[in-house]
Amino acid sequence: MNSKFKFTQTMVFYDRTTMTRLRLMKIEALSSSAIHASKRDGLLVPVTLGVLLSCGTANAVSGKGKVAAQDGKVGVTTTPAGKAVPAQVAKGQGQQPAAVVAAARAEAVEVSGQSHTAAQKLNLGKSVENDIATVYRLTQKDIQAQATSSSIDLFRNVPGVYVEDYGNGGIAQGFGMRGWSGNSNGNYVAAYIDGYQRNMYSGAQSNGYNDLNVLIPEIIGDINVIKGPFDTRYGGMLAVGGSVVIHTADFYRTGFSQRFGSFGESRSLLSYGYDGGRLKSYVVFEGGRDAGYRDNAAQDKVNLFSKTTYFITPEDKLSFSAQIYNANYGQPGYIPISVARVNPKAAMNMEDRGDKTQETFNFNFTHTHGNFQLDANLFVDNVYLYRSITRGYYPASVPRAEQNASIDSRTTVGAGVDPYWKFKLPLGMQLDLRAGALVHVDMAKAWNYPALNNQAIPAPQAYFGSINYFNKADFTEINPSLYLDVGFKPVKWMKISAGFRYDSFIFSDNVLSWVKPNNLLRQYITDWAGHISPKLGIAFYPATGLTLYGNMGEAVQAPNAVLQLNLNPSLKTSPMRSYEGGLAYDNTKLGFHFGADVYTTNASSEIGTSTTTGALENIGSSLRVGEDFDARLFLIRNSHIELDVAANYSRVRARLTGNSWGYVQFVPDEQKDYQINVSAPVHFWGDPNERLAFNFAHQFIGETKLSTDGRQSSSPYQRIQGKLTYSNPTRHNLSLYLSAIAFPTDRFSEINYYAAGVRYVGVEPRFRIQGGANISF
């Protein structure tokens, strides 16, 4: 069909070829809701072009944006170079355009970049945004709006997510969700970057050590936070609280960025980008130094990332990325609260330090043809991690310089193949099939040992650290996985999802460990453990904008080759089963979203911290019951001004249910926050594209139990962040910003643990400020 069209306050078509009235009625019906919504949003042209694209009247759009049919929805995506790309190579490709418009009655709304849409849970598609589970999507817009002191801060405003900045340099920060401790190294959250799971299996620090400091925020394309263990592809090993799925951008422009901040912080970002149409490539160098708020808190970091993407054909895309990361940092540690109140900047030991070197290579291939899509992934990762820290649970007779030191040196290789099919069935029914085969192999040396001034103690005694803190494991851990998920739509207003994931763990372990005072035991252990995790979900669409849904799923944790197999060589996996029910309501006309969900999770083996020694130990089974609420309302949204407000509330009751009934440690009983986001044009230089944006968030974190008997707890506290940004795209994408983070109440409560009658804390600065500029060419 060859047609011309123009846009005024209404849409008029001028057709030079034969177009029947039936065809006109069909297009009008399919696009009416999108046009109505886009008029008030100032997005009439791109959204209407998206509807036309889905009806076959166009296949590419030139200008500053592209319109992509993505898994049953119409999305407008800007390209960094301002160039159009074929719809076939857009992310989320391969879905039938008819399905895009068939879901129009759902009136999906994207609020401030975070997709909480009623329509998506009813869609069939490969994207995790089509999961029945609760999924929060963070776009580049959300990322740029955040005031951050570390990468983990990007997740602070997601309901039910716990984030803690340890203030100990480049170690993995505290990260948990849905009642799973934030006072851990993120080992209850499965984290994927471009298809590769970054958790360190059987890490020397923790089983699932999850270091997201390697992230460069500017090159993140999007982040999807999947709450709960309900995704078959990303819900296996360590996805106990949920999963984080991160994609890097296919292209990043040439430019320069500089930031300065409190406490001697300086960060530079230099990038070069090449856009050759079908071939896109960029290199980004990040370098920085942060002297830190506390003594012995300085950190130096260099980070080099490169990615090349080649669109072989309109149906085939190949990408390759390489990253080299190095960080050296001090470790101020955790000091008694009595010391913190007198000298909050004090460090446990000025000799404590850490460093990490990591090289990562990742290949991804995507083939799309009609209703079939194939993704393939291959990765190689090499990590060296050293850390020493002085703990506070040693007897008074032991010199203060005594440290717990650890080395984790490993090479990880793996691959995965993920095919996807979509089928149309009689009577308007639809079905899709997601499947995959994955393998993840760690070849590692993970050692824990006592040290003095970073030198290993040659003849350890019982009083060094704890009797369990001597363990040297040379091991190989192989994790092959299979998954299968079927989505079925018997009618337009219902979707059923059922599937399973099988994870197998094969160990070959040579471990030397301390079993009792003055007695070292060497063991050669081979072990096999496997588990099938079922998944089941259902979603209904009973009324316009309203979706009801429910899920059942399991995640699994394999034994720790360093700290568990030596005690029980035949130890098997520990499954965690979770149930969820919720609703989502979206009103496009009002620009309003509301979401609510409740969940329960049963765990057979809860890992807690001994209040006697501070060492990790199995404290039995547990039960978590919680609920999350979130709401967002656009007060003003037009082509000039955007003003929206949001609020989140989460509550959880995490209890031990085994022989040692009590509280699960380090889980805030509630969290709540509100956010204000405003963007408006300004005319400082007389340019119509100049804009000023202000983003503000105020978070309230509740009481946290530090001991299983509930007698020890940390106080509630507050955290405030704000960011003011000036942007001018016509002047080399100039961006100037000023941000601040403040702890107006208790700054000793974010990081806590309790041992031997003493509460230890990590101290946050009362106020931190940052400012910077970005420019591109």
Side-chain angles (χ1 to χ4, degrees):
M1 179 168 59
N2 180 21
S3 59
K4 292 183 178 180
F5 48 88
K6 71 177 182 179
F7 298 97
T8 57
Q9 287 299 106
T10 59
M11 184 174 66
V12 182
F13 293 88
Y14 296 91
D15 188 9
R16 292 185 177 180
T17 63
T18 303
M19 177 183 286
T20 64
R21 182 173 179 79
L22 180 62
R23 180 67 168 166
L24 282 170
M25 292 174 63
K26 179 179 180 181
I27 295 175
E28 181 181 1
L30 295 175
S31 58
S32 59
S33 61
I35 296 171
H36 182 81
S38 59
K39 281 182 181 179
R40 71 182 300 277
D41 294 344
L43 295 172
L44 177 60
V45 174
V47 173
T48 308
L49 284 174
V51 176
L52 292 174
L53 170 62
S54 68
C55 296
T57 60
N59 59 13
V61 179
S62 60
K64 293 185 177 181
K66 67 175 183 293
V67 181
Q70 180 176 341
D71 293 334
K73 62 182 181 292
V74 176
V76 181
T77 307
T78 59
T79 61
K83 297 185 179 181
V85 299
Q88 297 95 322
V89 300
K91 183 184 175 186
Q93 57 195 338
Q95 311 309 318
Q96 285 295 322
V100 177
V101 192
R105 66 180 286 273
E107 297 183 354
V109 59
E110 182 171 295
V111 287
S112 208
Q114 299 185 25
S115 299
H116 316 269
T117 65
Q120 288 176 329
K121 297 184 190 305
L122 272 294
N123 290 342
L124 297 180
K126 188 173 180 63
S127 170
V128 298
E129 294 176 57
N130 298 315
D131 275 346
I132 293 177
T134 306
V135 179
Y136 283 77
R137 181 170 182 261
L138 304 177
T139 66
Q140 186 60 235
K141 178 181 178 181
D142 302 306
I143 295 168
Q144 291 174 349
Q146 294 268 22
T148 62
S149 59
S150 65
S151 297
I152 205 70
D153 288 335
L154 298 174
F155 304 95
R156 282 190 182 268
N157 295 323
V158 177
V161 172
Y162 318 122
V163 173
E164 298 176 351
D165 185 350
Y166 290 153
N168 270 280
I171 68 170
Q173 304 287 9
F175 187 26
M177 65 175 78
R178 289 213 157 173
W180 292 91
S181 172
N183 196 9
S184 66
N185 298 119
N187 44 292
Y188 299 116
V189 179
Y192 294 79
I193 303 178
D194 290 338
Y196 163 39
Q197 186 171 0
R198 293 302 186 101
N199 304 76
M200 296 173 70
Y201 291 12
S202 298
Q205 296 289 310
S206 61
N207 190 9
Y209 186 82
N210 187 0
D211 184 6
L212 297 179
N213 287 300
V214 298
L215 290 175
I216 301 175
E218 288 85 348
I219 64 170
I220 298 175
D222 59 63
I223 301 174
N224 285 286
V225 180
I226 307 169
K227 296 169 66 176
F230 303 121
D231 186 282
T232 50
R233 168 63 178 87
Y234 300 105
M237 173 66 169
L238 302 167
V240 179
S243 305
V244 172
V245 183
I246 301 166
H247 297 104
T248 58
D250 283 342
F251 179 74
Y252 189 74
R253 60 190 180 271
T254 301
F256 177 71
S257 172
Q258 180 64 51
R259 182 178 79 194
F260 296 100
S262 303
F263 317 117
E265 180 191 9
S266 175
R267 175 183 181 266
S268 302
L269 191 78
L270 182 64
S271 63
Y272 171 77
Y274 170 79
D275 186 353
R278 292 168 60 184
L279 178 66
K280 302 179 187 295
S281 183
Y282 64 93
V283 179
V284 176
F285 173 80
E286 176 191 30
R289 175 171 176 79
D290 187 348
Y293 168 68
R294 295 176 59 195
D295 298 337
N296 194 32
Q299 177 181 189
D300 295 288
K301 179 171 69 173
V302 293
N303 199 353
L304 181 66
F305 181 89
S306 174
K307 186 174 182 180
T308 299
T309 302
Y310 181 55
F311 297 95
I312 305 170
T313 71
E315 296 182 335
D316 299 287
K317 182 177 81 168
L318 177 66
S319 64
F320 166 70
S321 64
Q323 184 172 21
I324 301 175
Y325 172 88
N326 177 257
N328 295 276
Y329 42 89
Q331 296 279 273
Y334 312 108
I335 56 179
I337 191 167
S338 58
V339 176
R341 289 185 175 128
V342 176
N343 182 10
K345 294 187 177 184
M348 285 295 287
N349 183 351
M350 293 299 291
E351 297 297 323
D352 290 344
R353 66 176 182 82
D355 62 78
K356 179 181 179 180
T357 301
Q358 183 169 9
E359 303 96 16
T360 307
F361 305 93
N362 203 342
F363 298 83
N364 286 279
F365 172 76
T366 300
H367 169 75
T368 303
H369 181 76
N371 289 325
F372 173 74
Q373 180 172 321
L374 176 68
D375 292 323
N377 172 244
L378 174 66
F379 56 84
V380 179
D381 191 25
N382 190 63
V383 178
Y384 176 84
L385 172 64
Y386 173 80
R387 184 189 183 195
S388 63
I389 190 165
T390 300
R391 303 291 186 181
Y393 47 82
Y394 48 82
S397 59
V398 177
R400 184 178 177 83
E402 175 250 328
Q403 301 162 309
N404 286 355
S406 64
I407 293 176
D408 196 315
S409 178
R410 68 178 62 207
T411 298
T412 303
V413 297
V417 179
D418 301 276
Y420 169 82
W421 297 266
K422 186 173 181 180
F423 304 95
K424 290 185 176 181
L425 304 178
L427 304 177
M429 296 185 292
Q430 300 178 55
L431 181 144
D432 70 351
L433 179 66
R434 293 186 292 176
L438 316 167
V439 63
H440 185 287
V441 181
D442 283 286
M443 296 163 283
K445 297 180 184 294
W447 297 352
N448 297 305
Y449 56 91
L452 292 172
N453 297 326
N454 294 297
Q455 299 297 316
I457 297 173
Q461 302 296 316
Y463 59 76
F464 284 115
S466 73
I467 61 173
N468 294 321
Y469 206 84
F470 184 87
N471 194 299
K472 292 188 175 184
D474 298 354
F475 67 92
T476 298
E477 183 173 347
I478 305 173
N479 172 212
S481 305
L482 297 171
Y483 72 88
L484 177 68
D485 187 276
V486 178
F488 177 55
K489 291 187 68 173
V491 290
K492 291 182 178 179
W493 49 268
M494 177 190 290
K495 176 182 172 182
I496 302 171
S497 177
F500 73 92
R501 179 182 174 112
Y502 175 73
D503 284 281
S504 179
F505 301 93
I506 304 167
F507 294 91
S508 177
D509 194 3
N510 178 356
V511 58
L512 178 67
S513 57
W514 190 287
V515 293
K516 60 182 179 179
N518 302 313
N519 186 5
L520 295 177
L521 175 66
R522 182 175 297 279
Q523 298 169 301
Y524 299 90
I525 301 169
T526 58
D527 189 26
W528 172 87
H531 183 76
I532 297 176
S533 303
K535 315 282 181 181
L536 181 65
I538 186 167
F540 300 94
Y541 190 62
T544 301
L546 178 65
T547 300
L548 307 177
Y549 60 95
N551 288 288
M552 183 277 289
E554 284 187 354
V556 65
Q557 280 191 316
N560 190 327
V562 186
L563 299 174
Q564 290 181 313
L565 285 182
N566 60 314
L567 302 177
N568 185 355
S570 60
L571 193 64
K572 301 304 179 184
T573 57
S574 299
M576 291 81 173
R577 174 166 290 192
S578 188
Y579 299 88
E580 173 192 60
L583 64 86
Y585 176 72
D586 295 277
N587 189 312
T588 309
K589 296 179 181 180
L590 298 177
F592 174 71
H593 163 80
F594 174 76
D597 58 76
V598 296
Y599 62 89
T600 66
T601 303
N602 292 280
S604 58
S605 299
E606 184 74 32
I607 304 299
T609 300
S610 171
T611 55
T612 302
T613 66
L616 296 177
E617 59 184 11
N618 190 331
I619 53 178
S621 59
S622 62
L623 172 67
R624 289 162 171 80
V625 179
E627 54 267 354
D628 298 331
F629 302 91
D630 68 282
R632 187 177 295 267
L633 175 64
F634 275 95
L635 300 176
I636 304 174
R637 190 179 187 187
N638 54 47
S639 58
H640 298 289
I641 300 175
E642 287 189 4
L643 171 62
D644 70 89
V645 294
N648 302 323
Y649 176 75
S650 299
R651 185 176 66 159
V652 64
R653 292 159 299 287
R655 302 291 186 266
L656 301 176
T657 57
N659 295 330
S660 57
W661 187 92
Y663 293 88
V664 174
Q665 301 160 291
F666 314 126
V667 178
D669 56 11
E670 67 174 5
Q671 289 191 161
K672 50 192 174 185
D673 70 79
Y674 65 91
Q675 305 163 44
I676 302 172
N677 305 286
V678 60
S679 173
V682 292
H683 301 285
F684 297 147
W685 290 350
D687 194 312
N689 294 310
E690 294 177 89
R691 293 192 72 83
L692 199 64
F694 178 65
N695 306 92
F696 176 85
H698 189 180
Q699 190 174 31
F700 303 81
I701 296 89
E703 181 183 65
T704 301
K705 300 297 184 185
L706 304 180
S707 61
T708 56
D709 60 12
R711 296 179 181 178
Q712 301 295 328
S713 62
S714 63
S715 304
Y717 68 97
Q718 300 176 32
R719 182 182 185 272
I720 296 174
Q721 67 178 49
K723 188 172 185 179
L724 181 66
T725 305
Y726 166 83
S727 59
N728 189 336
T730 60
R731 293 182 180 269
H732 299 290
N733 287 306
L734 174 65
S735 175
L736 305 172
Y737 65 89
L738 185 68
S739 66
I741 299 171
F743 286 81
T745 56
D746 189 342
R747 57 186 179 136
F748 305 136
S749 285
E750 180 156 296
I751 304 300
N752 283 261
Y753 77 93
Y754 180 82
V758 180
R759 177 184 166 194
Y760 294 88
V761 299
V763 185
E764 299 292 344
R766 182 73 70 186
F767 184 78
R768 181 191 299 268
I769 190 169
Q770 297 172 328
N774 306 312
I775 193 169
S776 63
F777 306 96

